[in-house]
Amino acid sequence: MRKKLILLYITTELLTIIDGVQYPWTFDNDLFGGPDFWGLLHGDWRMCTAGQMQSPVNIDPSQLLYDPHLMPINIEGNIVEAVFENTGQLPVVTIKDLPNKPTINITGGPTMPYRYNLHQISVHFGRADEGEKGSEHTVDRVRFPAEIQLLAYNSALYPNFSVAMTSPRGLLAVSVIVDIGKTTAVELRRLTVASQSITYKGQSTNLTDFQPSALLPKTSHYVTYEGSLTYPGCHETVTWVILNNPIYITNDDLQIWNELQKTETKQPEPSYMTPAYRPLKSLNGRLLRTNINVGSKESAASSSCPSNIYVEMGYRANPGRNKRNDSVSRRYVRKSEVFEIENIRPDEISKIGSY
Ligand SMILES: *[C@@H]1O[C@H](CO)[C@@H](O)[C@H](O)[C@H]1NC(C)=O
Ligand SMILES: *[C@@H]1O[C@H](CO)[C@@H](O)[C@H](O)[C@H]1NC(C)=O
Ligand SMILES: *[C@@H]1O[C@H](CO)[C@@H](O)[C@H](O)[C@H]1NC(C)=O
Ligand SMILES: *[C@@H]1O[C@H](CO)[C@@H](O)[C@H](O)[C@H]1NC(C)=O
């Protein structure tokens, strides 16, 4: 604690001394410039500390609210040209906005009736060789090996990503959880290979014929909430959509991402990019809505008031967990049972509803 207070003091001093110089931020909280300090590093990044609707958050299945009006989200399957860059903090794909070239419209979903335009894709991960998981969002406090985030801007209202980023209803983020599997999803495999040519900060490579929609799992189910960017300036302009099913990567392929480094050149002591995720932020009463309806509480009360009695909403992101027994350690739930509800049969759903 004392150490942090001293650092805070130094930060304030630095800001007054080197006015206008941007101090490099990092995801590593042990370092000056880590997530706890983002809000102090730069005037435009205040929200990182002051904001109360920040991301990422934990998705607690028992808090989900079923919303039958949430439409499926449509992400066009176009093939685009993009540049893949090591920013020193994250590997980021930016879709090129070229005249006469396709872009990717995203429509439907919780941000209807606005239309969004896919702008960038970032990959978050931990040190796989040390068993560290690196997804930003967690489900029932379970963190996953990695998370891919597709960030789009509201093209119905704003001319580009940078203007939308700081404007109301500006951004839409579609999050894809990545879990360990026997094979790597084809488009993720391509990114994994390409990441080997951007080992150092500032390096980039062109991706021709890149198909972002191939990174999506086959599901129309999602959870949505209002939050922020998970990197500075943490603007609270983001509608998040967390898709319900993961895509897969092999353990070997996941380890390739660990080679990415923060430095511009090879150092005697490598400075790895991991951890590459922001710590969880508090939900502070925000709604977690979902279009997954796996059971509503049918009771005498609800027949006289049929509107929205989804108190016992039976979302089973984690069917292995008994609702009555929260003491069951969540860590021991088989991985395949977390974040999969496709295989729940309708008769099981009614059982869930009757707990
Ligand atoms: C995206 O939407 C806009 C407006 O509806 C349309 O003009 C454009 O052609 C769409 N892009 C593609 C690739 O379909
Ligand atoms: C975004 O649009 C604004 C307003 O039209 C413009 O000033 C700015 O330069 C644009 N930014 C980028 C990165 O194109
Ligand atoms: C990537 O494409 C841009 C044009 O969009 C080009 O200027 C640049 O040289 C290309 N980079 C590589 C490494 O091929
Ligand atoms: C809850 O689960 C724990 C661990 O499996 C078990 O020991 C305990 O008896 C269970 N409690 C109830 C009320 O079922």
Side-chain angles (χ1 to χ4, degrees), residues 153-304:
Y153 70 92
N154 187 330
S155 54
L157 296 184
Y158 306 113
N160 56 39
F161 185 83
S162 23
V163 173
M165 185 171 76
T166 55
S167 307
R169 310 233 66 91
L171 303 183
L172 169 68
V174 178
S175 164
V176 178
I177 298 291
V178 182
D179 209 343
I180 301 292
K182 290 199 187 75
T183 54
T184 301
V186 175
E187 208 67 2
L188 179 54
R189 173 80 194 139
R190 280 190 67 195
L191 280 186
T192 303
V193 171
S195 78
Q196 292 175 302
S197 47
I198 57 164
T199 304
Y200 299 102
K201 179 180 173 177
Q203 290 186 326
S204 68
T205 181
N206 285 331
L207 302 173
T208 51
D209 304 332
F210 178 58
Q211 189 177 22
S213 64
L215 290 168
L216 303 171
K218 287 184 184 52
T219 182
S220 56
H221 289 154
Y222 59 81
V223 172
T224 181
Y225 75 97
E226 298 298 320
S228 73
L229 285 175
T230 58
Y231 57 84
C234 312
H235 307 289
E236 293 181 344
T237 52
V238 187
T239 301
W240 279 91
V241 169
I242 321 292
L243 297 177
N244 184 48
N245 291 58
I247 63 167
Y248 295 96
I249 190 169
T250 63
N251 209 15
D252 286 349
D253 280 351
L254 184 60
Q255 302 227 5
I256 290 174
W257 292 86
N258 282 180
E259 295 305 313
L260 293 174
Q261 307 199 10
K262 287 181 200 159
T263 52
E264 285 173 9
T265 52
K266 190 172 163 70
Q267 304 291 316
E269 193 66 38
S271 177
Y272 294 113
M273 195 180 262
T274 49
Y277 60 91
R278 187 187 193 191
L280 289 173
K281 309 306 285 185
S282 168
L283 203 54
N284 289 333
R286 279 172 284 173
L287 287 184
L288 291 172
R289 290 185 298 152
T290 181
N291 62 351
I292 309 163
N293 181 12
V294 286
S296 56
K297 178 111 175 167
E298 306 250 320
S299 69
S302 69
S303 59
S304 60

Side-chain angles (χ1 to χ4, degrees), residues 81 83 96 98 204-206:
E81 287 186 33
V83 56
K96 287 185 188 170
L98 301 169
S204 68
T205 181
N206 285 331

Side-chain angles (χ1 to χ4, degrees), residues 128 131-135 139-146 177-182 244-251 254 315-321 329-343:
E132 185 192 33
K133 309 216 159 128
S135 73
V139 179
D140 211 11
R141 297 267 160 202
V142 175
R143 198 176 288 283
F144 292 84
I177 298 291
V178 182
D179 209 343
I180 301 292
K182 290 199 187 75
N244 184 48
N245 291 58
I247 63 167
Y248 295 96
I249 190 169
T250 63
N251 209 15
L254 184 60
Y315 174 65
R316 292 271 139 155
N318 182 346
R321 178 183 158 209
S329 173
R330 288 157 203 189
R331 246 174 258 168
Y332 298 113
V333 175
R334 270 183 23 235
K335 218 182 266 156
S336 62
E337 289 179 340
V338 182
F339 220 71
E340 280 276 1
I341 63 148
E342 300 288 78
N343 53 3

Side-chain angles (χ1 to χ4, degrees), residues 75-145:
I75 302 177
E76 286 181 338
N78 300 335
I79 290 167
V80 294
E81 287 186 33
V83 56
F84 190 24
E85 187 187 1
N86 176 337
T87 66
Q89 287 103 2
L90 282 175
V92 177
V93 176
T94 305
I95 313 292
K96 287 185 188 170
D97 192 5
L98 301 169
N100 308 319
K101 289 280 180 179
T103 54
I104 295 176
N105 287 336
I106 305 182
T107 53
T111 50
M112 234 171 47
Y114 290 125
R115 183 184 69 246
Y116 288 69
N117 192 297
L118 183 61
H119 176 70
Q120 74 176 41
I121 299 170
S122 53
V123 184
H124 297 264
F125 51 96
R127 277 230 73 76
D129 52 3
E130 290 168 13
E132 185 192 33
K133 309 216 159 128
S135 73
E136 295 211 292
H137 289 88
T138 61
V139 179
D140 211 11
R141 297 267 160 202
V142 175
R143 198 176 288 283
F144 292 84

